[in-house]
Amino acid sequence: MKKIIIKAVLFDLDGTLCDSDTAWSIAQRETFQLLCKQKPSISEEAITKAWTTVHQRLFQQLGAGKLSMAEVRDARFQCLFEELGLPAGKVMEELSDFFCSRYLTSLRLYDDVTILEKLTGYHVGIITNGAHDEHTDSQLSKVKHLGLSERIQSLTISGEIGVRKPKVEIFKVACERADVLPKEAVYVGDSVQNDIVGANRAGMTSVLIDRKLDRLIPETADEQPDHIILNLYDVLSCLKNRR
């Protein structure tokens, strides 16, 4: 049996290459504090509750294909103000702009992203869910801001393709851009449902990066990664095992 040669290594963005959770928490906290100053009658607890409710509602619509990520982003503060019984206006727009800007400037790459420079001879790319426009809060802006544009050869974003992970189509498009067959590509991500399930169904080698050490026991074959790593440096070991 002929051994498969891996030609491409593709990565998820948020939680895999950059610490988006910390950036989101910073932006959220500071934005809520600003809103409390603007509207002293509303508590931070009430804002947090309304914010959670709004995001659950919007992401349900996103998952159902009724909204794009860009539409979710553009609607969240308007929906938040409606939930809090506040009129839309300049304050709402300023807070939205502040949140997006603060989120972007708070983003940091993980130290082990230096692995990208060691993947010589492989096509290196990113597959990510999110908006593809020029807005401050888009995956495109994040990739540029983090200096990843110069370190990868391809970028595939759901907002551009019109299909979100774990749908197989977005993985296939990424492989076509890398000029490889799915079986010739490794995909590294931190989400079992979005990354591992999608990569497995597409026929790629799936690698779960478990930064938080909260491994879930797979319930189906699609949820079982080919490899589990604790940091990106271990990608090299996965590649050696595939040669």
Side-chain angles (χ1 to χ4, degrees):
M1 184 177 176
K2 189 176 180 181
K3 194 161 187 180
I4 297 168
I5 297 174
I6 298 298
K7 300 177 181 177
V9 185
L10 308 174
F11 296 87
D12 167 53
L13 179 61
D14 298 299
T16 299
L17 298 179
C18 67
D19 186 1
S20 53
D21 284 348
T22 298
W24 182 273
S25 295
I26 292 169
Q28 182 176 279
R29 182 180 67 251
E30 294 184 8
T31 302
F32 289 0
Q33 289 171 350
L34 277 177
L35 180 52
C36 284
K37 287 181 180 179
Q38 296 275 2
K39 306 290 181 181
S41 61
I42 298 178
S43 67
E44 193 165 335
E45 183 181 359
I47 296 169
T48 301
K49 183 178 179 181
W51 181 257
T52 301
T53 299
V54 163
H55 272 81
Q56 287 175 342
R57 188 187 309 145
L58 290 174
F59 274 86
Q60 283 176 351
Q61 294 180 64
L62 175 68
K66 296 179 180 178
L67 292 176
S68 67
M69 191 61 233
E71 290 171 329
V72 168
R73 175 198 66 210
D74 295 342
R76 61 191 172 204
F77 274 90
Q78 183 173 346
C79 292
L80 174 65
F81 270 52
E82 288 174 0
E83 190 73 19
L84 292 170
L86 298 173
K90 189 177 179 181
V91 172
M92 182 196 78
E93 293 173 3
E94 288 175 348
L95 282 172
S96 180
D97 290 344
F98 174 83
F99 177 87
C100 294
S101 177
R102 194 70 186 94
Y103 175 50
L104 185 66
T105 57
S106 300
L107 277 176
R108 297 290 182 272
L109 291 173
Y110 291 111
D111 291 341
D112 53 10
V113 172
T114 54
I115 189 66
L116 298 183
E117 278 68 56
K118 298 185 183 298
L119 295 174
T120 53
Y122 296 97
H123 177 101
V124 178
I126 291 173
I127 309 174
T128 178
N129 282 343
H132 183 260
D133 53 24
E134 296 290 340
H135 192 283
T136 308
D137 184 4
S138 77
Q139 300 303 84
L140 192 60
S141 296
K142 287 157 71 172
V143 167
K144 291 178 180 177
H145 175 76
L146 292 166
L148 288 169
S149 301
E150 300 79 23
R151 303 167 77 175
I152 60 174
Q153 284 81 58
S154 65
L155 173 61
T156 306
I157 302 175
S158 66
E160 174 199 8
I161 305 302
V163 175
R164 291 174 59 81
K165 296 183 295 181
K167 292 291 181 65
V168 169
E169 289 83 356
I170 190 171
F171 292 92
K172 288 186 175 179
V173 168
C175 288
E176 287 171 5
R177 290 178 173 180
D179 194 24
V180 299
L181 298 172
K183 65 182 180 181
E184 298 172 326
V186 167
Y187 185 66
V188 185
D190 69 311
S191 167
V192 170
Q193 289 305 318
N194 286 336
D195 300 320
I196 303 308
V197 169
N200 283 339
R201 289 177 179 172
M204 304 166 76
T205 296
S206 60
V207 179
L208 177 67
I209 182 164
D210 186 19
R211 293 190 181 279
K212 298 178 181 177
L213 301 177
D214 56 359
R215 298 181 191 180
L216 299 176
I217 299 174
E219 296 180 2
T220 67
D222 284 343
E223 295 177 352
Q224 178 65 57
D226 293 307
H227 302 276
I228 298 176
I229 59 176
L230 303 183
N231 60 73
L232 293 179
Y233 300 125
D234 289 341
V235 168
L236 294 175
S237 299
C238 299
L239 293 171
K240 286 179 183 177
N241 292 334
R242 288 279 155 176
R243 283 193 180 277

